[in-house]
Amino acid sequence: MLVVLTALALRVTYVLQMRASPFFDHHVLDAAYHDEWATAIANGKQFVDGPYFRAPLYPWLLGAVYSVFGRDPLVPRLIQACLGAASCGLIFLLGRLVFSRVTAALASFAAATYWVFCYFDAELLIVPLIVFLDTLLLISVYWANRRPRWARWLVAGTVLGLSAIARPNILVFVPVVILWVFVVQRRKALVFVPSLVLGCLLPILPITMRNYVVGGDFVLISSQAGVNFFIGNNADSDGVTAVVPGTPADWWGGYFESIRLAELAEGRPLKPSEVSQYYFHKGLRYWAEQPQRAIALFVHKLMLFWSPYELGNNKSPRFFAERYGPIVDYLPLSFALIGPLGVIGMAVTWREWRRFLPLWGFVIVYMLGVVAFFVNSRYRVPLLPVLILFAAETAVWAFRSLRQRRVDRVVVAAGVAGCIALVMYRGSDGAKALSEAPSHALLAAFQLDHGAPEEAVHHLRRWCRIEPDNPEAFVQLAIAQSRMGKPDEAITTLEQVLQDHPHDTPALLALSDMLADDGKYARAIGLLRDELIAEPRNMRIANQLARLLATSPDAALRNGQEAMRLAQAATDATAGGVPETLDTLAAANAEIGRFDEAHRIAQRARQLAEKRRQHDLADAIGRRMALYADGKPYRRH
């Protein structure tokens, strides 16, 4: 009980400190997605059409909290602090079942004071729920084995099913449990395994049936697996960044664009399961066509999984915890200690392999299940309770060995642990910077959205220093410089980017926009024409050129017919258009006097923008529709 209260006090303190973070009530990416889904649930509205793209249990629970307490950013975090503290109690119970009371107490205290748990318990992410459910799952498996009854195995299976509708990758653990049941129960396994499987299906089948009814598609729980597999298995993957190549980095932009690209490649509308299959096949094709690179990437991800750093795919945990939660400075425990000691603990228990098989199997299959996709800290956290227990067992074993005057064993173990730590650090060289760069980018984006470009420039310059060869960092720096009222600096920055990366499309688009904003339409159009000659299939450049040709305030530069041709080509290349190309096509139609057609196309563009949750773009298109309705073309000012 003392450990649970300590854990709760630390987590509540951290949550209250994190109110200083700009992202406490300004949710981004996955947290924003969960917040939107939960808000829709609380308001009794439909969130997405068709089968679930992501497993629904966490948004359901968050939606229930919103229904009772309102959309308060503090309340769910406090509830998650309680859940995290309860998980520390579960770690103690699991330790008592499998190890000893001393190991259990040591492990639960380590979990209570580990800053990584404090960090994730304060985020609107699935982590605290999945840690609770997976630890409860391991307890229920051992509990069922101690006094085997079919009903106990049914309960264990139900917990497994609940964990699966929170995060489906726990299903890779099912074969391990079945194997263990046959090892320890032998013939009785023929009764217990069906009970386990039935329990697992109880929470899952209603989700599967719901997905089929609303979408006419067989999706077991969610349809994101294929996309995630391709993200982590392609020639551009760094093993951490969660973006499909060629799609926007924002959540909804990436979601809809990944679907559009799959449908464009297949030449027909696709069901969610078919989109998932398409990306699975792309990832497998990468393995078949470039096996050496694929293996090297897999090894790289394996090393990142065991990195001593806490990697975020958009927010670095340590970066934000240190900035806004000063209590973490007093919580020194790190994965650099837990990881090596956990591995040693797994090794020293090998003589009792039957007893520890579920824990070993959980670590191995869960790790491989993560590495097969892409790696970051929050996907590693569910393994921490087991690794912490093995690390605590290592400490107890070392103390016992010293009392028995077996110093040689402790020295060897310490040497092995040191070697493991060294490999962890060397194998993840550059991982800390890889994680910190997007954190600076995220803070910069927040500052730009909230009218503080000077602060944004500070973070963007840090990003540029971390990744000097990343043109995106310098493009964002130029945008911030422009917002500060320094267009000449911004243009110079972009020109330098294009010297180093001559055909970087985002830099060219940004530069042409800034030149146009500065009244230098002729130069902007000239740059785009030159690039289109060099890359005639670059439809983003074609669309931008069409837009300037249709909307330039300089009549000598406008060319409605050429704008129509380019805009139509860009629309056709995107399989009927995306909001941006349709908006340009509407402007081109208005330029040549076809106002009814312009209004009709703009209406399609606005509807599509609303569907994609591009609300600012939808509002802007709506204003242009009013012009077309009045028989007026749109002019850029």
Side-chain angles (χ1 to χ4, degrees):
M1 180 58 72
L2 181 60
V3 167
V4 173
L5 291 176
T6 300
L8 181 61
L10 290 173
R11 282 152 178 75
V12 170
T13 301
Y14 179 78
V15 166
L16 296 178
Q17 289 179 338
M18 284 301 290
R19 287 184 296 179
S21 168
F23 301 111
F24 190 81
D25 55 4
H26 178 82
H27 309 300
V28 294
L29 297 172
D30 287 355
Y33 181 79
H34 295 151
D35 175 68
E36 287 183 48
W37 192 346
T39 301
I41 291 170
N43 293 332
K45 295 181 179 179
Q46 181 73 18
F47 180 60
V48 290
D49 298 326
Y52 292 124
F53 178 71
R54 281 195 163 184
L57 185 58
Y58 179 73
W60 285 352
L61 295 179
L62 188 60
V65 173
Y66 283 3
S67 298
V68 175
F69 298 101
R71 192 167 170 258
D72 187 324
L74 179 61
V75 173
R77 289 176 165 90
L78 292 176
I79 291 173
Q80 289 181 184
C82 295
L83 192 64
S87 294
C88 295
L90 291 182
I91 291 170
F92 177 82
L93 293 178
L94 179 60
R96 288 287 289 117
L97 275 171
V98 187
F99 295 93
S100 66
R101 186 177 186 86
V102 174
T103 297
L106 186 59
S108 60
F109 180 75
T113 58
Y114 189 21
W115 71 269
V116 171
F117 283 129
C118 294
Y119 171 83
F120 282 109
D121 288 345
E123 297 287 310
L124 295 189
L125 299 172
I126 194 175
V127 178
L129 175 62
I130 206 69
V131 168
F132 179 87
L133 287 174
D134 286 355
T135 309
L136 184 62
L137 167 62
L138 292 168
I139 290 172
S140 66
V141 166
Y142 277 101
W143 172 72
N145 184 62
R146 277 206 165 185
R147 299 180 65 182
R149 301 284 188 278
W150 71 267
R152 291 191 173 208
W153 285 108
L154 184 74
V155 170
T158 303
V159 176
L160 200 160
L162 286 172
S163 181
I165 65 170
R167 181 177 287 163
N169 65 339
I170 190 62
L171 293 175
V172 300
F173 184 53
V174 173
V176 174
V177 180
I178 292 175
L179 173 63
W180 189 60
V181 175
F182 274 101
V183 167
V184 295
Q185 298 296 337
R186 299 184 181 181
R187 291 183 180 179
K188 292 182 180 179
L190 296 175
V191 174
F192 299 147
V193 167
S195 299
L196 174 78
V197 174
L198 176 62
C200 183
L201 291 175
L202 288 176
I204 293 175
L205 285 180
I207 306 295
T208 308
M209 293 172 62
R210 178 262 175 203
N211 286 339
Y212 187 80
V213 168
V214 301
D217 192 13
F218 180 77
V219 174
L220 185 65
I221 298 171
S222 60
S223 65
Q224 71 176 132
V227 173
N228 284 351
F229 182 72
F230 176 63
I231 286 173
N233 294 275
N234 69 81
D236 297 317
S237 174
D238 60 13
V240 176
T241 305
V243 178
V244 174
T247 67
D250 66 287
W251 208 101
W252 286 111
Y255 171 75
F256 285 111
E257 186 65 5
S258 64
I259 295 172
R260 190 190 69 80
L261 290 175
E263 292 181 336
L264 182 61
E266 295 293 302
R268 62 184 177 87
L270 298 177
K271 294 179 179 180
S273 65
E274 293 174 323
V275 174
S276 183
Q277 290 167 14
Y278 169 80
Y279 282 107
F280 257 127
H281 292 155
K282 284 198 73 171
L284 292 173
R285 192 157 59 245
Y286 171 68
W287 273 86
E289 294 173 355
Q290 303 183 56
Q292 290 183 326
R293 291 187 63 179
I295 292 170
L297 177 59
F298 183 87
V299 172
H300 174 64
K301 290 187 290 184
L302 190 62
M303 298 305 297
L304 290 177
F305 185 90
W306 289 94
S307 168
Y309 307 111
E310 300 299 332
L311 303 176
N313 56 15
N314 51 67
K315 286 174 65 180
S316 166
R318 192 75 195 184
F319 180 95
F320 283 92
E322 287 179 339
R323 267 174 168 73
Y324 304 109
I327 195 172
V328 303
D329 292 335
Y330 302 98
L331 305 175
L333 190 62
S334 76
F335 193 77
L337 182 64
I338 292 170
L341 292 184
V343 172
I344 298 297
M346 294 174 70
V348 299
T349 56
W350 71 272
R351 292 181 183 276
E352 299 178 85
W353 65 271
R354 285 182 176 82
R355 176 152 62 108
F356 292 104
L357 180 59
L359 299 185
W360 289 349
F362 182 76
V363 170
I364 293 168
V365 301
Y366 200 99
M367 173 190 68
L368 293 176
V370 170
V371 173
F373 293 81
F374 55 91
V375 176
N376 60 58
S377 181
R378 60 182 159 136
Y379 297 149
R380 183 171 71 183
V381 170
L383 288 187
L384 291 179
V386 178
L387 287 176
I388 286 174
L389 280 165
F390 277 119
E393 180 66 9
T394 300
V396 172
W397 170 86
F399 181 75
R400 189 164 55 241
S401 297
L402 290 174
R403 289 189 61 184
Q404 295 170 354
R405 298 183 180 179
R406 296 295 305 274
V407 179
D408 56 328
R409 295 200 303 184
V410 178
V411 170
V412 170
V416 172
C419 290
I420 293 171
L422 181 62
V423 171
M424 287 167 58
Y425 275 101
R426 297 198 64 173
S428 57
D429 186 40
K432 185 178 181 183
L434 184 67
S435 183
E436 285 190 0
S439 300
H440 285 292
L442 204 59
L443 280 171
F446 175 85
Q447 300 296 354
L448 279 177
D449 288 344
H450 290 77
E454 298 87 354
E455 301 252 354
V457 165
H458 166 74
H459 288 290
L460 289 167
R461 290 195 187 281
R462 294 287 298 275
W463 182 14
C464 291
R465 284 197 290 272
I466 293 171
E467 296 187 308
D469 294 324
N470 185 347
E472 183 187 356
F474 292 89
V475 170
Q476 294 302 318
L477 174 61
I479 292 171
Q481 290 169 331
S482 178
R483 298 269 187 94
M484 286 176 65
K486 298 180 178 181
D488 292 340
E489 283 188 26
I491 289 171
T492 299
T493 299
L494 290 171
E495 289 173 338
Q496 184 60 53
V497 172
L498 290 169
Q499 280 185 16
D500 299 332
H501 308 273
H503 300 291
D504 186 76
T505 297
L508 277 161
L509 295 176
L511 180 57
S512 65
D513 257 334
M514 290 180 192
L515 290 170
D517 288 341
D518 204 27
K520 300 172 182 176
Y521 283 92
R523 188 181 169 202
I525 290 171
L527 274 174
L528 294 170
R529 283 192 194 282
D530 290 344
E531 183 61 22
L532 201 57
I533 291 170
E535 293 190 83
R537 294 187 178 182
N538 191 329
M539 291 298 104
R540 294 177 68 191
I541 296 293
N543 187 66
Q544 181 84 332
L545 177 56
R547 191 164 190 79
L548 292 183
L549 291 172
T551 65
S552 170
D554 187 343
L557 295 174
R558 287 199 303 275
N559 187 330
Q561 293 297 335
E562 185 181 3
M564 276 286 294
R565 179 178 60 79
L566 291 169
Q568 189 64 60
T571 301
D572 292 343
T574 52
V578 293
E580 294 80 2
T581 60
L582 290 170
D583 185 26
T584 301
L585 185 60
N589 273 277
E591 169 58 21
I592 62 174
R594 298 171 58 181
F595 294 108
D596 289 343
E597 183 69 3
H599 191 276
R600 184 186 67 79
I601 294 171
Q603 189 170 37
R604 268 180 60 205
R606 186 173 68 171
Q607 289 171 349
L608 196 53
E610 288 288 1
K611 181 181 178 181
R612 292 181 168 222
R613 289 171 166 79
Q614 296 172 277
H615 302 302
D616 290 343
L617 176 59
D619 291 343
I621 294 172
R623 292 190 292 272
R624 289 190 271 278
M625 286 176 63
L627 289 174
Y628 307 151
D630 290 339
K632 297 177 182 177
Y634 168 62
R635 294 285 177 263
R636 180 172 178 148
H637 300 292

